[in-house]
Amino acid sequence: MTDTPSGLTSGLHTGSHDLPVSPELTRYMAGNWTASPLPATDRVPAHAATPRRRERLSAHFPGERLIIPAGQLQVRSNDADHRFRPHSAYAWLTGLTGEDQAGHVLVLEPSGPHGHEAVLYLRPRSPRADGNEEFYRDRRYGEFWVGRRPDLAEAERLTGLRCAHLDTLGSPQGRDAARDRELASVLSELRLVKEAWEVDQLQLAVDHTTAGFEDVVRALPQALAHPRGERWIEGVFGLRARAEGNGLGYNTIAASGAHACMLHWIHNDGRLDPDELLLLDAGVETDTLYTADITRTLPLSGRFSPVQRQVYELVLAAQEAGIAALRPGATFRDFHRAGMRVMAEGLAQWGVLKNTEGDLHRRYTLCASGHMLGMDVHDCAQARAHTYLDGVLEEGQVLTVEPGLYLQPDDETLPAELRGIGVRVEDDLVITATGGPPPGGPPPPPGRVDTGRGGGVPQDPWDPWDPWDQARLAIAWLNVADGRMIAAALAASGW
């Protein structure tokens, strides 16, 4: 087996400021390198699961060639690329999740009337003999520039797939997941129900995200003092995401004050005002590419004002109603409808709406209140409506419940004291066979929701520093955080 087919060459990715290479240097670089094979026992973490995943895909398309690309590097600026993350379908079928997968392609070749043989076309480790210069000259793929890739034999051992050099792929005809809507839909639908191993990965993502939220609490004094405190918070959480996982599952939303009224505020360039709220929507993506998606809204003063508390508690009640509606056999939209009923009733009680009929509450809630979660933050997005949005919940599905109120600062339908307040509370849940609340009944109400900052002593038996201490669990919690840990973080910070 050779890694570089005879006669196949490709241009080197070099820079305009690179020095020329003499023939003498080329010859000198070609030899005297110690062998450095990868450990023979290395396997991708999902090695045991990927064959069954490919079999399930194969059964949907007998006799057809299926092409699942990892995707290509994208230029950020001049000769600097964005960090690469392989397409979720490719990673799910191969178990390969690293930045070195750029350009690789999985092909399922028809084998007999019903089956397929999977072949992974990849760019293997560059050889160092016969005048090959890629390993030390190529800025995009060279081993001395970006790191070592496995050779073909190592890649086969890692994945259990037959592997071939990317240069031999050519231009195969078949269903391409990047362009074929039916194939993309099936690939999404196959991931709707998570394997037990996948749920464990999501739990790990939530655990790391919890640690990141604790880091943010510790950093609040510095963030409040900084002219761009939102960005300070973004950076603190980003450090945890890179230290514990692959990075962020999506761009962090660190929205203070009226910025929280924008659903996806990622500029994060605002100052933190102690009299306002902070909405933090963030998630760590594991090295296996599963992400958490958690949102908390907290008072930067340490205490909600009466009107802030009024908004917060309505959102919290809507979330609790949504979580209570989650069970196998319920429709996917049931939890959203349950939460929105609570929202509409609350807005009507405030006098913002004349009644609860119709959908006028959407002026203030703006979007749906949850989605599937997995390798993508909005997972399985290509699934057909009858399997997802109009489908029923099944055991093993993982989703978010995230109602919010976004009371725009220029909204003349609102009383002045409500304008500019944005609140969202979001948790990640897995559907189990039994459904229903946990043993011992539902958690206590939020009580006096504040941090105890400034000498205040919480009166409830559990610290009412919500948003972390609300251990709501309607099915099986992907554990967010224990309020005692947050209290410890506060004590450590001196906040």
Side-chain angles (χ1 to χ4, degrees):
M1 179 184 297
T2 60
D3 283 352
T4 306
S6 175
L8 293 176
T9 60
S10 57
L12 295 174
H13 298 85
T14 57
S16 59
H17 53 289
D18 286 351
L19 298 172
V21 174
S22 67
E24 291 78 13
L25 178 59
T26 298
R27 289 193 296 271
Y28 190 60
M29 294 294 291
N32 298 307
W33 302 105
T34 301
S36 55
L38 296 179
T41 57
D42 280 2
R43 301 289 185 274
V44 295
H47 188 272
T50 53
R52 175 58 181 154
R53 296 172 183 175
R54 295 190 293 268
E55 288 175 6
R56 293 172 61 202
L57 176 61
S58 171
H60 284 268
F61 299 98
E64 298 188 74
R65 178 183 288 118
L66 308 178
I67 303 163
I68 301 94
Q72 300 290 343
L73 288 166
Q74 300 296 318
V75 173
R76 181 186 182 278
S77 174
N78 190 30
D79 58 354
D81 295 318
H82 286 283
R83 283 192 175 277
F84 180 77
R85 180 201 187 275
H87 192 282
S88 293
Y90 171 91
W92 189 71
L93 293 167
T94 65
L96 294 164
T97 61
E99 296 186 45
D100 60 349
Q101 297 306 304
H104 296 181
V105 182
L106 176 68
V107 178
L108 270 61
E109 293 284 357
S111 178
H114 303 293
H116 288 81
E117 181 190 15
V119 184
L120 179 60
Y121 292 88
L122 54 81
R123 182 179 293 101
R125 185 183 189 186
S126 304
R128 300 188 185 182
D130 302 322
N132 189 292
E133 298 177 315
E134 181 188 86
F135 74 98
Y136 70 96
R137 292 194 63 196
D138 193 299
R139 290 170 168 267
R140 183 173 260 184
Y141 302 117
E143 181 175 339
F144 288 6
W145 287 88
V146 297
R148 184 200 194 290
R149 301 186 300 272
D151 62 31
L152 290 180
E154 290 168 337
E156 290 186 347
R157 193 165 58 244
L158 283 167
T159 63
L161 290 162
R162 182 161 75 86
C163 295
H165 198 292
L166 184 60
D167 286 346
T168 66
L169 176 60
S171 301
Q173 300 301 305
R175 289 184 180 267
D176 188 324
R179 297 187 294 271
D180 187 287
R181 173 175 258 177
E182 183 178 1
L183 176 54
S185 294
V186 170
L187 284 166
S188 278
E189 291 160 9
L190 290 173
R191 295 193 288 114
L192 280 167
V193 175
K194 302 305 188 275
E195 304 152 358
W197 179 83
E198 293 183 288
V199 174
D200 288 343
Q201 293 303 300
L202 286 162
Q203 176 66 66
L204 182 62
V206 170
D207 291 345
H208 292 327
T209 301
T210 297
F213 275 57
E214 294 176 43
D215 294 340
V216 167
V217 171
R218 295 186 188 97
L220 282 174
Q222 298 99 314
L224 282 160
H226 197 277
R228 292 204 289 185
E230 291 177 343
R231 197 155 294 182
W232 190 280
I233 285 170
E234 175 190 348
V236 168
F237 187 85
L239 174 59
R240 175 65 66 172
R242 283 295 286 169
E244 303 290 359
N246 186 54
L248 299 171
Y250 53 95
N251 290 323
T252 295
I253 299 166
S256 174
H259 290 166
C261 299
M262 285 164 268
L263 294 172
H264 287 174
W265 172 261
I266 60 172
H267 297 304
N268 299 342
D269 57 359
R271 180 183 289 277
L272 303 185
D273 185 333
D275 293 329
E276 294 180 334
L277 301 177
L278 170 69
L279 186 156
L280 177 60
D281 185 336
V284 174
E285 180 182 77
T286 64
D287 291 327
T288 54
L289 305 188
Y290 290 84
T291 186
D293 182 6
I294 295 171
T295 306
R296 293 293 183 265
T297 307
L298 62 143
L300 286 165
S301 68
R303 296 183 187 278
F304 288 119
S305 71
V307 70
Q308 289 169 347
R309 176 191 167 98
Q310 173 186 341
V311 177
Y312 182 88
E313 289 194 336
L314 178 55
V315 173
L316 187 62
Q319 195 208 32
E320 290 171 343
I323 291 175
L326 295 174
R327 61 181 58 84
T331 72
F332 175 80
R333 297 183 191 269
D334 282 350
F335 76 90
H336 172 71
R337 295 189 185 105
M340 292 306 99
R341 281 193 295 272
V342 172
M343 288 288 205
E345 290 167 0
L347 290 166
Q349 290 173 4
W350 296 352
V352 172
L353 294 177
K354 293 181 179 179
N355 55 59
T356 62
E357 303 302 317
D359 63 353
L360 298 187
H361 62 275
R362 292 179 61 184
R363 179 182 177 107
Y364 314 103
T365 63
L366 294 180
C367 67
S369 53
H371 52 82
M372 292 295 178
L373 184 70
M375 297 186 85
D376 295 318
V377 64
H378 298 143
D379 208 32
C380 310
Q382 304 303 313
R384 289 164 289 194
H386 73 276
T387 67
Y388 182 178
L389 296 178
D390 297 329
V392 298
L393 297 178
E394 299 180 47
E395 181 182 0
Q397 291 181 333
V398 177
L399 69 161
T400 71
V401 180
E402 52 169 321
L405 278 174
Y406 311 99
L407 309 178
Q408 303 300 326
D410 57 352
D411 190 340
E412 295 181 353
T413 70
L414 295 169
E417 65 270 17
L418 286 174
R419 296 178 194 175
I421 296 176
V423 172
R424 180 165 65 250
V425 181
E426 178 180 20
D427 294 314
D428 306 336
L429 298 106
V430 57
I431 304 297
T432 65
T434 55
R448 185 170 61 89
V449 185
D450 50 43
T451 66
R453 185 185 178 193
V457 179
Q459 316 243 327
D460 296 347
W462 53 293
D463 189 335
W465 162 282
D466 196 81
W468 283 277
D469 199 16
Q470 291 293 329
R472 295 167 305 280
L473 175 58
I475 311 169
W477 229 139
L478 289 179
N479 177 37
V480 172
D482 185 293
R484 290 186 296 271
M485 291 192 292
I486 296 303
L490 285 167
S493 71
W495 196 60

